[in-house]
Amino acid sequence: MKYWIQFLREKKTAILLYIATVLLFLVTGSLYHVENLRKLLYATLLTFALWCVVGVIQGLKYVDRCRKLEAAERQLEQYGEPALGEVLSRREIFTESGNGAIGVEQRLEHLLLQAHECWERARLNEEEKATDRRDYYLMWTHQIKTPISALKLLLEKNQDCKDGFLMREELFKIEQYAEMVLTFQRLDSMASDLVLQEYELVPLLKQAVRKYSVLFINKGLNVEMPEENVRILTDQKWFSFCLEQMLSNSIKYTETGGVRFEVEDGGESVRLILADTGIGIRPEDLPRIFEKGITGYNGRLDKKSTGIGLYLCKQVFDRLGIVVAAESEVGIGTRMILTIHKPDRLKQ
């Protein structure tokens, strides 16, 4: 009913003009005492019936068009930009008649369709460029691993080399930066690469600590592992990457003391806490540490900080269903808190 009321409102000028014209004929005929006034009234009724028929036909088309537009609007609200092309491709929504006449409204609709086609071409062109850049970075990341592996072998053969341990540390950092680039490129296709399984948490922690043993030894930091071992539901590769990134940050900003892992069993979930005795994070920087490119005050002290590591961790954790939070106090240290699903949660 609301569409019919809207239709009548839009056509009120034509309706009022018709009524005024009929009244004018009737008044003129009565003033001049037209002998065939009854025939004039009969003609008026015939034109009224004709207008009603045409009006009903036009109204049905109008209501059908409004319903299609409303459905398209709901589709856009639900699916967003991907549905825009499909909506605009349905030209029957925009075209009222097939008589070939081009009015102002049809010109605007044609302009909208042309603008969408231009936008679509620009989007495809940008996607092609982005794909080329992504392929290049993937190729570069894979190729850089070859000289890294070669340098590892050379250092292993020359273990007595002066500053060899420091050289292995720097080489390890290069390898981690290359791995970060590769992970950043894979992030968009992460959903197709997830393999959720049950894992014991402590072995995953020990694996990450062993990987960073060179950095621990060089800085003289200690590690405390949890005594309680629990099982979690996660993807080993992606979870280990994030764990290593957080461990890397703890080592980077810790000069004395070390790193401590704590595990708390919360029934349906597990709380993993990574605590360090580093310089801490300022209160004004803490809410933004998971944002892309945010380095904060500590990042400005360390010129090499990129602000990408924790951003990647947050993106991966969101896809794994892991809730991550941070607590910190300047001069005392930082606590990264992960809430991880237990396997039993999905079996219930």
Side-chain angles (χ1 to χ4, degrees):
M1 180 60 69
K2 66 176 182 178
Y3 295 134
W4 282 102
I5 295 175
Q6 185 176 334
F7 172 72
L8 292 175
R9 285 177 178 173
E10 289 191 9
K11 302 297 182 182
K12 64 180 180 182
T13 302
I15 294 173
L16 292 175
L17 181 62
Y18 168 76
I19 294 174
T21 303
V22 170
L23 290 175
L24 182 63
F25 273 104
L26 292 176
V27 170
T28 303
S30 62
L31 289 176
Y32 285 92
H33 305 286
V34 177
E35 297 180 358
N36 297 325
L37 185 59
R38 290 184 178 179
K39 293 182 180 180
L40 184 61
L41 290 173
Y42 180 68
T44 301
L45 291 176
L46 286 179
T47 56
F48 176 74
L50 180 62
W51 272 65
C52 286
V53 171
V54 174
V56 169
I57 294 174
Q58 291 294 321
L60 290 173
K61 291 182 178 180
Y62 180 88
V63 170
D64 180 63
R65 185 183 182 202
C66 286
R67 286 173 178 167
K68 288 179 179 178
L69 287 171
E70 186 178 21
E73 184 178 352
R74 287 197 302 268
Q75 187 176 4
L76 282 173
E77 290 177 354
Q78 183 176 1
Y79 299 105
E81 185 177 297
L84 181 61
E86 181 182 350
V87 171
L88 291 178
S89 65
R90 285 189 264 161
R91 294 175 182 265
E92 69 274 8
I93 293 179
F94 301 101
T95 306
E96 287 191 11
S97 61
N99 55 10
I102 301 179
V104 175
E105 185 179 358
Q106 283 73 26
R107 288 182 183 275
L108 289 174
E109 292 161 0
H110 181 65
L111 180 62
L112 176 61
L113 292 170
Q114 282 187 323
H116 171 68
E117 291 174 358
C118 293
W119 170 83
E120 185 69 18
R121 286 195 298 269
R123 185 183 65 82
L124 292 174
N125 186 40
E126 187 59 32
E127 284 185 356
E128 184 178 352
K129 291 180 180 178
T131 301
D132 291 340
R133 288 194 297 268
R134 184 167 56 250
D135 291 342
Y136 170 76
Y137 286 128
L138 285 173
M139 178 190 68
W140 178 88
T141 307
H142 284 292
Q143 288 182 340
I144 201 65
K145 288 184 176 181
T146 302
I148 290 175
S149 300
L151 285 173
K152 276 185 175 180
L153 292 174
L154 290 173
L155 285 174
E156 288 177 2
K157 290 181 179 179
N158 299 275
Q159 293 185 1
D160 297 333
C161 176
K162 184 181 179 181
D163 297 329
F165 219 73
L166 293 175
M167 293 170 65
R168 279 196 290 273
E169 178 181 347
E170 296 303 318
L171 182 61
F172 177 79
K173 292 179 182 178
I174 295 173
E175 187 176 17
Q176 292 307 110
Y177 290 142
E179 186 66 28
M180 187 183 297
V181 173
L182 187 60
T183 302
F184 188 80
Q185 295 298 321
R186 289 174 175 170
L187 195 60
D188 291 336
S189 59
M190 177 183 169
S192 60
D193 191 36
L194 284 179
V195 180
L196 295 177
Q197 294 180 355
E198 297 182 24
Y199 294 97
E200 291 187 349
L201 180 56
V202 172
L204 295 179
L205 301 181
K206 290 181 178 179
Q207 177 182 331
V209 171
R210 279 196 300 268
K211 187 171 183 178
Y212 281 82
S213 58
V214 174
L215 303 185
F216 277 106
I217 294 171
N218 278 2
K219 299 192 76 170
L221 303 177
N222 58 66
V223 182
E224 295 182 26
M225 301 295 293
E227 296 181 359
E228 180 184 4
N229 192 12
V230 294
R231 298 185 68 84
I232 61 172
L233 182 71
T234 190
D235 179 281
Q236 181 181 8
K237 182 181 74 173
W238 290 99
F239 178 76
S240 296
F241 167 78
C242 295
L243 189 61
E244 292 166 6
Q245 287 299 315
M246 293 191 303
L247 194 58
S248 174
N249 277 3
S250 294
I251 297 172
K252 182 189 299 182
Y253 297 111
T254 302
E255 298 299 330
T256 59
V259 176
R260 182 179 71 259
F261 289 100
E262 302 174 8
V263 173
E264 298 176 359
D265 195 336
E268 293 185 350
S269 60
V270 175
R271 274 168 51 97
L272 171 64
I273 301 172
L274 171 59
D276 62 53
T277 57
I279 61 177
I281 303 172
R282 290 191 170 189
E284 60 269 26
D285 293 333
L286 193 58
R288 304 181 61 198
I289 60 173
F290 296 108
E291 295 180 16
K292 185 177 180 181
I294 300 299
T295 59
Y297 178 77
N298 294 343
R300 287 188 287 273
L301 292 178
D302 179 14
K303 307 293 190 208
K304 302 174 185 177
S305 181
T306 61
I308 296 296
L310 289 180
Y311 165 77
L312 289 176
C313 290
K314 182 66 167 62
Q315 298 300 309
V316 173
F317 283 146
D318 287 345
R319 288 164 171 80
L320 291 176
I322 297 175
V323 179
V324 57
E327 299 175 355
S328 186
E329 190 171 346
V330 176
I332 295 178
T334 302
R335 287 160 48 93
M336 304 297 294
I337 306 169
L338 307 180
T339 304
I340 312 168
H341 296 313
K342 295 176 67 174
D344 297 339
R345 186 175 185 274
L346 294 184
K347 294 179 181 178
Q348 293 177 352

